[in-house]
Amino acid sequence: MTPLNSLSVAQLCAAVAVKEQIEQLETQLASIFGQTTAPEVAGKKRRRMSAAGRARMAAAARARWTKIKNTHVAPTKKRSKMSAEGRARISAAAKARWKKAKAAGKTTL
């Protein structure tokens, strides 16, 4: 197809005349068949849902919400605490490391 900007004025006028003739012939043809000349609107037709379908969807949604609301959250497990004996062992080991590091003249481990 030729782009419109490459056509001459005479060619554009001829195209307009042909288009008008086509429209006149279409209206004559429509009047012969008894159709209206209103152009059809192209578009999607809406899909309708039956009342039963809506009821099923609503019931399913209610069931999902009931399931969510009635679910009990399990209590989280409490963290186990370190015994005093374990803390004392870790503390003693850290003190021994620092004592050894200071004896070697270090300021960082």
Side-chain angles (χ1 to χ4, degrees), residues 46-63:
R46 279 187 66 158
R47 292 175 56 169
R48 303 261 180 211
M49 188 180 298
S50 66
R54 278 194 304 274
R56 282 194 305 271
M57 286 178 67
R62 279 193 297 273

Side-chain angles (χ1 to χ4, degrees), residues 9 13 19 25 33 37 42 48-49 51 53 59 62 70 77 80 90 92 100 107:
V9 175
C13 289
K19 179 71 173 166
L25 291 172
F33 289 116
T37 59
R48 303 261 180 211
M49 188 180 298
R62 279 193 297 273
N70 289 339
K77 185 178 178 183
S80 59
I90 290 174
K100 186 177 176 183
T107 58

Side-chain angles (χ1 to χ4, degrees), residues 17-70:
V18 170
K19 179 71 173 166
E20 288 174 352
Q21 287 178 348
I22 290 171
E23 289 175 357
Q24 287 175 352
L25 291 172
E26 284 179 344
T27 55
Q28 288 177 2
L29 187 60
S31 66
I32 292 171
F33 289 116
Q35 298 173 348
T36 60
T37 59
E40 291 186 28
V41 177
K44 280 187 168 182
K45 290 188 176 183
R46 279 187 66 158
R47 292 175 56 169
R48 303 261 180 211
M49 188 180 298
S50 66
R54 278 194 304 274
R56 282 194 305 271
M57 286 178 67
R62 279 193 297 273
R64 283 193 302 271
W65 275 108
T66 303
K67 191 181 203 181
I68 290 168
K69 288 178 183 177
N70 289 339

Side-chain angles (χ1 to χ4, degrees), residues 77-96:
K77 185 178 178 183
K78 290 185 178 181
R79 286 179 48 186
S80 59
K81 294 181 180 177
M82 188 179 297
S83 67
E85 183 182 317
R87 274 195 308 269
R89 271 188 273 133
I90 290 174
S91 176
K95 287 178 183 178

